[in-house]
Amino acid sequence: MSSIPSLQLNDGYHIPQFGLGTWKTPNEEAPALIRSALEMGYRHIDTAAAYNNEEGVGQGIAEAGIDRSELFVTTKLWNERQGFDETIKAFDESLAKLKLEYVDLYLIHWPCPQAGKFLDTWKAFLRLREEGRVRSVGVSNFRPSDLEEIILETGVTPAVNQIEVHPLLQQNEMREFNQKKGILTEAWSPLAQGGELLKNPLIQQIAQKHGKTPAQVILRWHIELGSIIFPKSTNPDRIRENADIFDFMLDGEDMSQIATLDAGKRLGPDPSTFG
Ligand code: A2P
């Protein structure tokens, strides 16, 4: 695996721009998959309490025996655990399942604006950071107004905002907003969940031009945009394929062609109403 770039977060820590996602990875398959990804050179793992695989992910990390300081591990707080006290309890549970002393990045999974608890949740995140059990704090699926609120109330800007981004939902405005605030964008479902997009003739043509696969072209597109990605796969060959994107670049023409695929098409829930 060619070397994976690292990006600096607004709190000074560094994050590998590429890693392994684990949404829908079954807990029992996680140890072997994580072990083999770490053996291939992956150093960044993204999980969540809601994925029900933190134990398996933690087991894989422990079995791989890699120095903790070389790894970047993210997990996320699930919606129904929002609120100050509940957040601390939920975090304790996640950390115990992962069998870690700290996580590199902890995210509020969804803002759930109707519940009105994300500000208290954010304050608990800051407490966990003070305690040293979380290195960097961030959010997921936050809209500009949600971000403005927590920044205004606490003076702390999230290190990342993890949002749905792929060529069918390019999120130019949201990514630009994050950038202006000094927040790095993490793209979830970077491959548009592996569906029709991989068969798109334009993507296939660009793939042929570079001698790469459609998945590699889409992943490289995210890298060129400066987003952080962690495609999920439970197939070791695809896990290897997805990481092999650091020996080529897309040119301006490729980027403008992919820009035309934006259809504003969400595959996941709408953050305004979800939760
Ligand atoms: P699998 O786990 O069987 O490899 P996203 O990250 O956008 O949610 O996409 C994940 C989906 O894409 C999963 O269904 C995964 O299936 C599939 N996938 C991951 N990598 C590739 C690849 N290189 N080529 C084709 N499909 C892929």
Side-chain angles (χ1 to χ4, degrees), residues 23 189-194 198 215 231-235 238 241-242:
W23 180 46
S189 282
L191 293 170
Q193 300 176 8
L198 296 173
K232 171 264 171 187
S233 179
T234 41
N235 175 312
R238 288 198 280 272
E241 171 189 332
N242 293 345

Side-chain angles (χ1 to χ4, degrees), residues 169-200:
L169 181 72
Q170 302 193 8
Q171 299 258 38
N172 294 338
E173 278 177 29
M174 195 62 235
R175 285 188 297 102
E176 210 170 295
F177 185 89
N178 287 340
Q179 194 185 8
K180 279 203 189 116
K181 293 280 175 193
I183 300 169
L184 294 185
T185 296
E186 295 193 325
W188 63 258
S189 282
L191 293 170
Q193 300 176 8
E196 286 301 304
L197 184 63
L198 296 173
K199 297 188 200 125
N200 181 285

Side-chain angles (χ1 to χ4, degrees), residues 189-242:
S189 282
L191 293 170
Q193 300 176 8
E196 286 301 304
L197 184 63
L198 296 173
K199 297 188 200 125
N200 181 285
L202 192 63
I203 300 286
Q204 291 199 330
Q205 192 191 319
I206 298 172
Q208 214 167 16
K209 168 173 151 188
H210 291 282
K212 289 285 177 179
T213 66
Q216 288 169 329
V217 164
I218 297 166
L219 296 173
R220 184 70 212 186
W221 171 80
H222 289 280
I223 297 290
E224 309 290 2
L225 293 179
S227 300
I228 299 159
I229 46 168
F230 25 83
K232 171 264 171 187
S233 179
T234 41
N235 175 312
D237 289 338
R238 288 198 280 272
I239 290 178
R240 193 179 295 281
E241 171 189 332
N242 293 345

